[in-house]
mmCIF file of all heavy atoms in Angstrom:
data_model
loop_
_atom_site.group_PDB
_atom_site.id
_atom_site.type_symbol
_atom_site.label_atom_id
_atom_site.label_comp_id
_atom_site.label_asym_id
_atom_site.label_seq_id
_atom_site.Cartn_x
_atom_site.Cartn_y
_atom_site.Cartn_z
ATOM 1 N N LYS A 198 106.963 110.032 85.362
ATOM 2 C CA LYS A 198 107.562 111.209 84.719
ATOM 3 C C LYS A 198 108.968 111.464 85.253
ATOM 4 O O LYS A 198 109.345 112.584 85.539
ATOM 5 C CB LYS A 198 106.700 112.449 84.976
ATOM 6 C CG LYS A 198 105.246 112.302 84.586
ATOM 7 C CD LYS A 198 105.069 112.089 83.084
ATOM 8 C CE LYS A 198 103.601 111.992 82.720
ATOM 9 N NZ LYS A 198 103.400 111.696 81.292
ATOM 10 N N GLN A 199 109.764 110.423 85.388
ATOM 11 C CA GLN A 199 111.126 110.562 85.884
ATOM 12 C C GLN A 199 112.115 110.252 84.772
ATOM 13 O O GLN A 199 111.882 109.358 83.951
ATOM 14 C CB GLN A 199 111.385 109.622 87.065
ATOM 15 C CG GLN A 199 110.643 109.995 88.336
ATOM 16 C CD GLN A 199 110.914 109.001 89.441
ATOM 17 O OE1 GLN A 199 110.995 107.801 89.209
ATOM 18 N NE2 GLN A 199 111.066 109.494 90.659
ATOM 19 N N ALA A 200 113.214 110.974 84.763
ATOM 20 C CA ALA A 200 114.278 110.743 83.788
ATOM 21 C C ALA A 200 115.617 110.692 84.513
ATOM 22 O O ALA A 200 115.772 111.251 85.608
ATOM 23 C CB ALA A 200 114.294 111.844 82.728
ATOM 24 N N PHE A 201 116.578 110.022 83.907
ATOM 25 C CA PHE A 201 117.912 109.936 84.477
ATOM 26 C C PHE A 201 118.597 111.300 84.467
ATOM 27 O O PHE A 201 118.242 112.190 83.691
ATOM 28 C CB PHE A 201 118.769 108.944 83.694
ATOM 29 C CG PHE A 201 118.360 107.512 83.870
ATOM 30 C CD1 PHE A 201 118.016 106.728 82.771
ATOM 31 C CD2 PHE A 201 118.318 106.928 85.119
ATOM 32 C CE1 PHE A 201 117.644 105.411 82.921
ATOM 33 C CE2 PHE A 201 117.943 105.607 85.289
ATOM 34 C CZ PHE A 201 117.600 104.851 84.185
ATOM 35 N N VAL A 202 119.598 111.445 85.345
ATOM 36 C CA VAL A 202 120.415 112.651 85.411
ATOM 37 C C VAL A 202 121.864 112.243 85.153
ATOM 38 O O VAL A 202 122.142 111.110 84.762
ATOM 39 C CB VAL A 202 120.263 113.360 86.769
ATOM 40 C CG1 VAL A 202 118.855 113.884 86.935
ATOM 41 C CG2 VAL A 202 120.618 112.429 87.926
ATOM 42 N N GLU A 203 122.804 113.163 85.377
ATOM 43 C CA GLU A 203 124.208 112.889 85.079
ATOM 44 C C GLU A 203 124.976 112.282 86.241
ATOM 45 O O GLU A 203 126.203 112.268 86.231
ATOM 46 C CB GLU A 203 124.901 114.182 84.635
ATOM 47 C CG GLU A 203 124.522 114.660 83.243
ATOM 48 C CD GLU A 203 123.167 115.316 83.165
ATOM 49 O OE1 GLU A 203 122.603 115.642 84.252
ATOM 50 O OE2 GLU A 203 122.648 115.511 82.069
ATOM 51 N N SER A 204 124.296 111.751 87.233
ATOM 52 C CA SER A 204 124.943 111.122 88.381
ATOM 53 C C SER A 204 124.680 109.627 88.358
ATOM 54 O O SER A 204 123.519 109.194 88.344
ATOM 55 C CB SER A 204 124.430 111.732 89.691
ATOM 56 O OG SER A 204 124.883 110.997 90.806
ATOM 57 N N LEU A 205 125.733 108.818 88.337
ATOM 58 C CA LEU A 205 125.568 107.372 88.292
ATOM 59 C C LEU A 205 124.861 106.858 89.533
ATOM 60 O O LEU A 205 123.955 106.015 89.436
ATOM 61 C CB LEU A 205 126.944 106.711 88.138
ATOM 62 C CG LEU A 205 126.957 105.183 88.132
ATOM 63 C CD1 LEU A 205 126.162 104.637 86.957
ATOM 64 C CD2 LEU A 205 128.389 104.653 88.094
ATOM 65 N N ASP A 206 125.258 107.339 90.712
ATOM 66 C CA ASP A 206 124.642 106.870 91.946
ATOM 67 C C ASP A 206 123.152 107.189 91.986
ATOM 68 O O ASP A 206 122.335 106.362 92.401
ATOM 69 C CB ASP A 206 125.339 107.512 93.148
ATOM 70 C CG ASP A 206 126.796 107.077 93.259
ATOM 71 O OD1 ASP A 206 127.102 105.954 92.824
ATOM 72 O OD2 ASP A 206 127.608 107.863 93.758
ATOM 73 N N GLN A 207 122.786 108.379 91.543
ATOM 74 C CA GLN A 207 121.383 108.756 91.552
ATOM 75 C C GLN A 207 120.588 107.941 90.532
ATOM 76 O O GLN A 207 119.438 107.565 90.779
ATOM 77 C CB GLN A 207 121.241 110.254 91.258
ATOM 78 C CG GLN A 207 119.868 110.818 91.565
ATOM 79 C CD GLN A 207 119.870 112.339 91.579
ATOM 80 O OE1 GLN A 207 120.915 112.959 91.496
ATOM 81 N NE2 GLN A 207 118.697 112.931 91.683
ATOM 82 N N ASN A 208 121.193 107.650 89.385
ATOM 83 C CA ASN A 208 120.502 106.847 88.379
ATOM 84 C C ASN A 208 120.247 105.427 88.869
ATOM 85 O O ASN A 208 119.171 104.863 88.644
ATOM 86 C CB ASN A 208 121.316 106.825 87.084
ATOM 87 C CG ASN A 208 121.333 108.178 86.402
ATOM 88 O OD1 ASN A 208 120.498 109.034 86.668
ATOM 89 N ND2 ASN A 208 122.288 108.372 85.508
ATOM 90 N N ILE A 209 121.233 104.840 89.539
ATOM 91 C CA ILE A 209 121.038 103.493 90.085
ATOM 92 C C ILE A 209 119.981 103.514 91.173
ATOM 93 O O ILE A 209 119.178 102.579 91.312
ATOM 94 C CB ILE A 209 122.382 102.951 90.610
ATOM 95 C CG1 ILE A 209 123.362 102.773 89.449
ATOM 96 C CG2 ILE A 209 122.182 101.632 91.342
ATOM 97 C CD1 ILE A 209 124.742 102.342 89.864
ATOM 98 N N ASN A 210 119.948 104.603 91.958
ATOM 99 C CA ASN A 210 118.903 104.758 92.973
ATOM 100 C C ASN A 210 117.518 104.752 92.336
ATOM 101 O O ASN A 210 116.574 104.136 92.866
ATOM 102 C CB ASN A 210 119.150 106.049 93.755
ATOM 103 C CG ASN A 210 118.082 106.312 94.791
ATOM 104 O OD1 ASN A 210 117.005 106.820 94.484
ATOM 105 N ND2 ASN A 210 118.374 105.973 96.028
ATOM 106 N N LEU A 211 117.367 105.432 91.196
ATOM 107 C CA LEU A 211 116.072 105.475 90.513
ATOM 108 C C LEU A 211 115.670 104.097 90.005
ATOM 109 O O LEU A 211 114.485 103.729 90.051
ATOM 110 C CB LEU A 211 116.137 106.461 89.338
ATOM 111 C CG LEU A 211 116.285 107.947 89.692
ATOM 112 C CD1 LEU A 211 116.510 108.776 88.434
ATOM 113 C CD2 LEU A 211 115.047 108.446 90.425
ATOM 114 N N ILE A 212 116.648 103.320 89.538
ATOM 115 C CA ILE A 212 116.328 101.974 89.054
ATOM 116 C C ILE A 212 115.964 101.056 90.213
ATOM 117 O O ILE A 212 115.023 100.265 90.133
ATOM 118 C CB ILE A 212 117.519 101.406 88.255
ATOM 119 C CG1 ILE A 212 117.819 102.294 87.046
ATOM 120 C CG2 ILE A 212 117.226 99.980 87.798
ATOM 121 C CD1 ILE A 212 119.088 101.909 86.306
ATOM 122 N N ARG A 213 116.707 101.160 91.314
ATOM 123 C CA ARG A 213 116.428 100.302 92.470
ATOM 124 C C ARG A 213 115.055 100.583 93.071
ATOM 125 O O ARG A 213 114.462 99.706 93.709
ATOM 126 C CB ARG A 213 117.508 100.492 93.540
ATOM 127 C CG ARG A 213 118.834 99.816 93.207
ATOM 128 C CD ARG A 213 119.751 99.757 94.402
ATOM 129 N NE ARG A 213 121.004 99.088 94.104
ATOM 130 C CZ ARG A 213 121.174 97.771 94.142
ATOM 131 N NH1 ARG A 213 120.154 96.995 94.479
ATOM 132 N NH2 ARG A 213 122.351 97.244 93.854
ATOM 133 N N ALA A 214 114.547 101.781 92.886
ATOM 134 C CA ALA A 214 113.204 102.084 93.375
ATOM 135 C C ALA A 214 112.153 101.213 92.683
ATOM 136 O O ALA A 214 111.123 100.880 93.277
ATOM 137 C CB ALA A 214 112.886 103.564 93.144
ATOM 138 N N TYR A 215 112.414 100.822 91.424
ATOM 139 C CA TYR A 215 111.490 99.944 90.694
ATOM 140 C C TYR A 215 111.817 98.474 90.908
ATOM 141 O O TYR A 215 110.946 97.616 90.697
ATOM 142 C CB TYR A 215 111.558 100.258 89.188
ATOM 143 C CG TYR A 215 110.945 101.580 88.813
ATOM 144 C CD1 TYR A 215 111.748 102.697 88.594
ATOM 145 C CD2 TYR A 215 109.572 101.728 88.676
ATOM 146 C CE1 TYR A 215 111.196 103.918 88.247
ATOM 147 C CE2 TYR A 215 109.011 102.938 88.323
ATOM 148 C CZ TYR A 215 109.828 104.032 88.118
ATOM 149 O OH TYR A 215 109.272 105.246 87.779
ATOM 150 N N LEU A 216 113.049 98.158 91.288
ATOM 151 C CA LEU A 216 113.471 96.764 91.467
ATOM 152 C C LEU A 216 114.072 96.571 92.858
ATOM 153 O O LEU A 216 115.290 96.401 93.008
ATOM 154 C CB LEU A 216 114.495 96.372 90.397
ATOM 155 C CG LEU A 216 114.007 96.372 88.943
ATOM 156 C CD1 LEU A 216 115.176 96.157 87.991
ATOM 157 C CD2 LEU A 216 112.933 95.317 88.721
ATOM 158 N N PRO A 217 113.262 96.617 93.912
ATOM 159 C CA PRO A 217 113.801 96.427 95.271
ATOM 160 C C PRO A 217 114.018 94.949 95.581
ATOM 161 O O PRO A 217 113.378 94.367 96.455
ATOM 162 C CB PRO A 217 112.696 97.043 96.147
ATOM 163 C CG PRO A 217 111.441 96.819 95.370
ATOM 164 C CD PRO A 217 111.811 96.886 93.917
ATOM 165 N N LYS A 218 114.935 94.328 94.862
ATOM 166 C CA LYS A 218 115.211 92.905 95.035
ATOM 167 C C LYS A 218 116.683 92.702 95.358
ATOM 168 O O LYS A 218 117.548 93.431 94.858
ATOM 169 C CB LYS A 218 114.841 92.127 93.768
ATOM 170 C CG LYS A 218 113.345 92.080 93.471
ATOM 171 C CD LYS A 218 113.060 91.245 92.255
ATOM 172 C CE LYS A 218 113.386 89.781 92.458
ATOM 173 N NZ LYS A 218 112.555 89.127 93.483
ATOM 174 N N GLU A 219 116.950 91.689 96.162
ATOM 175 C CA GLU A 219 118.321 91.439 96.580
ATOM 176 C C GLU A 219 119.177 90.866 95.449
ATOM 177 O O GLU A 219 120.411 90.947 95.507
ATOM 178 C CB GLU A 219 118.350 90.477 97.777
ATOM 179 C CG GLU A 219 117.864 89.068 97.485
ATOM 180 C CD GLU A 219 116.346 88.942 97.474
ATOM 181 O OE1 GLU A 219 115.671 89.967 97.730
ATOM 182 O OE2 GLU A 219 115.843 87.835 97.223
ATOM 183 N N ASN A 220 118.554 90.296 94.413
ATOM 184 C CA ASN A 220 119.341 89.744 93.308
ATOM 185 C C ASN A 220 119.561 90.740 92.177
ATOM 186 O O ASN A 220 120.012 90.363 91.100
ATOM 187 C CB ASN A 220 118.685 88.469 92.766
ATOM 188 C CG ASN A 220 117.265 88.704 92.267
ATOM 189 O OD1 ASN A 220 116.636 89.698 92.613
ATOM 190 N ND2 ASN A 220 116.767 87.793 91.464
ATOM 191 N N PHE A 221 119.209 92.003 92.406
ATOM 192 C CA PHE A 221 119.551 93.055 91.452
ATOM 193 C C PHE A 221 121.010 93.442 91.696
ATOM 194 O O PHE A 221 121.349 93.981 92.736
ATOM 195 C CB PHE A 221 118.621 94.255 91.621
ATOM 196 C CG PHE A 221 119.016 95.449 90.776
ATOM 197 C CD1 PHE A 221 119.400 95.290 89.465
ATOM 198 C CD2 PHE A 221 119.002 96.723 91.315
ATOM 199 C CE1 PHE A 221 119.765 96.384 88.698
ATOM 200 C CE2 PHE A 221 119.359 97.824 90.562
ATOM 201 C CZ PHE A 221 119.750 97.653 89.238
ATOM 202 N N VAL A 222 121.869 93.164 90.715
ATOM 203 C CA VAL A 222 123.313 93.300 90.882
ATOM 204 C C VAL A 222 123.816 94.500 90.097
ATOM 205 O O VAL A 222 123.369 94.764 88.978
ATOM 206 C CB VAL A 222 124.057 92.024 90.413
ATOM 207 C CG1 VAL A 222 125.561 92.164 90.616
ATOM 208 C CG2 VAL A 222 123.525 90.804 91.156
ATOM 209 N N CYS A 223 124.740 95.222 90.709
ATOM 210 C CA CYS A 223 125.375 96.383 90.075
ATOM 211 C C CYS A 223 126.884 96.202 90.186
ATOM 212 O O CYS A 223 127.446 96.316 91.279
ATOM 213 C CB CYS A 223 124.914 97.682 90.747
ATOM 214 S SG CYS A 223 125.819 99.139 90.209
ATOM 215 N N GLU A 224 127.547 95.905 89.064
ATOM 216 C CA GLU A 224 129.001 95.756 89.022
ATOM 217 C C GLU A 224 129.608 97.031 88.454
ATOM 218 O O GLU A 224 129.216 97.475 87.385
ATOM 219 C CB GLU A 224 129.401 94.571 88.147
ATOM 220 C CG GLU A 224 128.982 93.224 88.682
ATOM 221 C CD GLU A 224 129.489 92.096 87.800
ATOM 222 O OE1 GLU A 224 130.392 92.350 86.968
ATOM 223 O OE2 GLU A 224 128.983 90.967 87.936
ATOM 224 N N GLU A 225 130.582 97.604 89.140
ATOM 225 C CA GLU A 225 131.154 98.878 88.720
ATOM 226 C C GLU A 225 132.572 98.687 88.174
ATOM 227 O O GLU A 225 133.377 97.950 88.749
ATOM 228 C CB GLU A 225 131.169 99.867 89.880
ATOM 229 C CG GLU A 225 131.549 101.277 89.458
ATOM 230 C CD GLU A 225 131.321 102.290 90.563
ATOM 231 O OE1 GLU A 225 130.283 102.202 91.252
ATOM 232 O OE2 GLU A 225 132.191 103.163 90.742
ATOM 233 N N LEU A 226 132.842 99.357 87.054
ATOM 234 C CA LEU A 226 134.162 99.369 86.437
ATOM 235 C C LEU A 226 134.601 100.815 86.223
ATOM 236 O O LEU A 226 133.784 101.730 86.294
ATOM 237 C CB LEU A 226 134.140 98.640 85.085
ATOM 238 C CG LEU A 226 133.623 97.195 85.049
ATOM 239 C CD1 LEU A 226 133.490 96.740 83.608
ATOM 240 C CD2 LEU A 226 134.552 96.281 85.810
ATOM 241 N N THR A 227 135.881 100.995 85.956
ATOM 242 C CA THR A 227 136.421 102.307 85.603
ATOM 243 C C THR A 227 137.035 102.203 84.212
ATOM 244 O O THR A 227 137.934 101.396 83.989
ATOM 245 C CB THR A 227 137.477 102.768 86.616
ATOM 246 O OG1 THR A 227 136.886 102.828 87.922
ATOM 247 C CG2 THR A 227 137.991 104.151 86.242
ATOM 248 N N ILE A 228 136.535 103.033 83.284
ATOM 249 C CA ILE A 228 136.934 102.962 81.878
ATOM 250 C C ILE A 228 137.350 104.353 81.415
ATOM 251 O O ILE A 228 136.759 105.354 81.826
ATOM 252 C CB ILE A 228 135.789 102.432 81.000
ATOM 253 C CG1 ILE A 228 135.385 101.026 81.458
ATOM 254 C CG2 ILE A 228 136.171 102.407 79.536
ATOM 255 C CD1 ILE A 228 134.192 100.470 80.731
ATOM 256 N N GLY A 229 138.356 104.410 80.560
ATOM 257 C CA GLY A 229 138.831 105.680 80.028
ATOM 258 C C GLY A 229 140.184 106.027 80.607
ATOM 259 O O GLY A 229 140.301 106.288 81.811
ATOM 260 N N ASN A 230 141.215 106.035 79.785
ATOM 261 C CA ASN A 230 142.561 106.291 80.278
ATOM 262 C C ASN A 230 142.713 107.696 80.853
ATOM 263 O O ASN A 230 143.504 107.915 81.776
ATOM 264 C CB ASN A 230 143.573 106.091 79.139
ATOM 265 C CG ASN A 230 143.547 104.676 78.589
ATOM 266 O OD1 ASN A 230 143.220 103.739 79.319
ATOM 267 N ND2 ASN A 230 143.858 104.518 77.320
ATOM 268 N N MET A 231 141.944 108.646 80.313
ATOM 269 C CA MET A 231 142.023 110.016 80.803
ATOM 270 C C MET A 231 140.825 110.396 81.661
ATOM 271 O O MET A 231 140.974 111.072 82.675
ATOM 272 C CB MET A 231 142.148 110.990 79.623
ATOM 273 C CG MET A 231 143.431 110.846 78.819
ATOM 274 S SD MET A 231 143.570 112.071 77.509
ATOM 275 C CE MET A 231 143.699 113.583 78.477
ATOM 276 N N THR A 232 139.636 109.980 81.248
ATOM 277 C CA THR A 232 138.425 110.412 81.953
ATOM 278 C C THR A 232 138.153 109.608 83.219
ATOM 279 O O THR A 232 137.468 110.097 84.119
ATOM 280 C CB THR A 232 137.218 110.302 81.020
ATOM 281 O OG1 THR A 232 137.129 108.951 80.521
ATOM 282 C CG2 THR A 232 137.345 111.264 79.856
ATOM 283 N N LYS A 233 138.663 108.349 83.283
ATOM 284 C CA LYS A 233 138.414 107.484 84.454
ATOM 285 C C LYS A 233 136.925 107.454 84.789
ATOM 286 O O LYS A 233 136.491 107.732 85.909
ATOM 287 C CB LYS A 233 139.216 107.972 85.667
ATOM 288 C CG LYS A 233 140.720 108.055 85.452
ATOM 289 C CD LYS A 233 141.323 106.697 85.163
ATOM 290 C CE LYS A 233 142.828 106.774 84.977
ATOM 291 N NZ LYS A 233 143.412 105.462 84.649
ATOM 292 N N THR A 234 136.131 107.095 83.797
ATOM 293 C CA THR A 234 134.679 107.123 83.920
ATOM 294 C C THR A 234 134.167 105.882 84.634
ATOM 295 O O THR A 234 134.565 104.755 84.318
ATOM 296 C CB THR A 234 134.034 107.220 82.530
ATOM 297 O OG1 THR A 234 134.586 108.344 81.846
ATOM 298 C CG2 THR A 234 132.535 107.393 82.633
ATOM 299 N N ARG A 235 133.281 106.085 85.574
ATOM 300 C CA ARG A 235 132.635 104.972 86.278
ATOM 301 C C ARG A 235 131.522 104.401 85.399
ATOM 302 O O ARG A 235 130.661 105.127 84.906
ATOM 303 C CB ARG A 235 132.058 105.427 87.609
ATOM 304 C CG ARG A 235 133.098 105.910 88.603
ATOM 305 C CD ARG A 235 132.417 106.612 89.763
ATOM 306 N NE ARG A 235 131.477 105.747 90.448
ATOM 307 C CZ ARG A 235 130.408 106.187 91.126
ATOM 308 N NH1 ARG A 235 130.151 107.482 91.185
ATOM 309 N NH2 ARG A 235 129.595 105.340 91.727
ATOM 310 N N VAL A 236 131.564 103.092 85.219
ATOM 311 C CA VAL A 236 130.563 102.403 84.414
ATOM 312 C C VAL A 236 130.017 101.242 85.236
ATOM 313 O O VAL A 236 130.782 100.503 85.865
ATOM 314 C CB VAL A 236 131.163 101.884 83.088
ATOM 315 C CG1 VAL A 236 130.120 101.127 82.285
ATOM 316 C CG2 VAL A 236 131.719 103.035 82.266
ATOM 317 N N ALA A 237 128.692 101.092 85.229
ATOM 318 C CA ALA A 237 128.046 100.042 86.015
ATOM 319 C C ALA A 237 127.337 99.063 85.091
ATOM 320 O O ALA A 237 126.629 99.468 84.163
ATOM 321 C CB ALA A 237 127.057 100.641 87.002
ATOM 322 N N ILE A 238 127.544 97.764 85.345
ATOM 323 C CA ILE A 238 126.821 96.698 84.648
ATOM 324 C C ILE A 238 125.648 96.294 85.535
ATOM 325 O O ILE A 238 125.841 95.917 86.695
ATOM 326 C CB ILE A 238 127.732 95.493 84.370
ATOM 327 C CG1 ILE A 238 128.980 95.923 83.598
ATOM 328 C CG2 ILE A 238 126.979 94.412 83.602
ATOM 329 C CD1 ILE A 238 129.998 94.803 83.444
ATOM 330 N N LEU A 239 124.449 96.364 84.997
ATOM 331 C CA LEU A 239 123.230 96.105 85.764
ATOM 332 C C LEU A 239 122.554 94.842 85.236
ATOM 333 O O LEU A 239 122.385 94.693 84.020
ATOM 334 C CB LEU A 239 122.271 97.294 85.664
ATOM 335 C CG LEU A 239 122.873 98.681 85.924
ATOM 336 C CD1 LEU A 239 121.836 99.753 85.648
ATOM 337 C CD2 LEU A 239 123.384 98.790 87.349
ATOM 338 N N TYR A 240 122.158 93.968 86.131
ATOM 339 C CA TYR A 240 121.423 92.764 85.729
ATOM 340 C C TYR A 240 120.762 92.154 86.958
ATOM 341 O O TYR A 240 121.071 92.516 88.102
ATOM 342 C CB TYR A 240 122.353 91.746 85.055
ATOM 343 C CG TYR A 240 123.488 91.259 85.928
ATOM 344 C CD1 TYR A 240 123.354 90.119 86.716
ATOM 345 C CD2 TYR A 240 124.709 91.928 85.957
ATOM 346 C CE1 TYR A 240 124.393 89.659 87.513
ATOM 347 C CE2 TYR A 240 125.753 91.482 86.743
ATOM 348 C CZ TYR A 240 125.592 90.347 87.520
ATOM 349 O OH TYR A 240 126.624 89.913 88.315
#
């Protein structure tokens, strides 16, 4: 009964709780000329 929130770090923490593996990769980018939004590629 868990759902994501508006924090990227907390959301990745919730995913890592299900996938505690060293080959779970999180690549972070910054997108948006004004908003400078953090975006993570997960695989």
Side-chain angles (χ1 to χ4, degrees):
K198 306 296 182 184
Q199 291 178 321
F201 290 123
V202 294
E203 287 76 14
S204 171
L205 178 62
D206 296 331
Q207 194 166 352
N208 291 341
I209 295 176
N210 178 279
L211 292 173
I212 299 172
R213 285 193 179 276
Y215 289 100
L216 296 172
K218 292 183 66 64
E219 66 280 358
N220 59 341
F221 173 44
V222 181
C223 171
E224 294 183 16
E225 189 170 319
L226 305 172
T227 301
I228 300 175
N230 300 331
M231 295 183 66
T232 56
K233 303 297 181 182
T234 306
R235 296 168 59 207
V236 178
I238 305 173
L239 311 174
Y240 60 92

